[in-house]
Amino acid sequence: MQIIIQLDAETARQLDEIQKHTNQEYTLVIQQGIGLYYQQLQPHRQFYMETKKHYELVGSAPANTSAN
């Protein structure tokens, strides 16, 4: 996938600083940043999936349709 982006001055400065400090290509710096962000989202995703599964199970209980 090819992506073309425009960075604001502060983000560009941060990217330059990371690149100079690590001596990695910009592409690798960005890929690793996305990887770290993805890892941070995983606990939230797991919680969402467990919560959704719980409510689907609760919602699937048959309704009481008997009339008294």
Side-chain angles (χ1 to χ4, degrees), residues 5-42:
I5 63 170
Q6 185 171 359
L7 301 175
D8 60 78
E10 178 59 17
T11 304
R13 185 198 65 74
Q14 291 172 357
L15 180 58
D16 279 339
E17 188 174 326
I18 293 168
Q19 188 278 327
K20 288 173 185 171
H21 182 74
T22 63
N23 201 33
Q24 296 177 336
E25 296 291 328
Y26 287 112
T27 302
L28 186 57
V29 172
I30 293 167
Q31 287 172 338
Q32 289 178 341
I34 292 170
L36 288 171
Y37 191 51
Y38 181 80
Q39 287 176 359
Q40 289 176 356
L41 291 176
Q42 292 312 299

Side-chain angles (χ1 to χ4, degrees), residues 38-50:
Y38 181 80
Q39 287 176 359
Q40 289 176 356
L41 291 176
Q42 292 312 299
H44 299 287
R45 183 177 181 274
Q46 183 66 30
F47 175 77
Y48 168 77
M49 296 303 290
E50 289 174 4

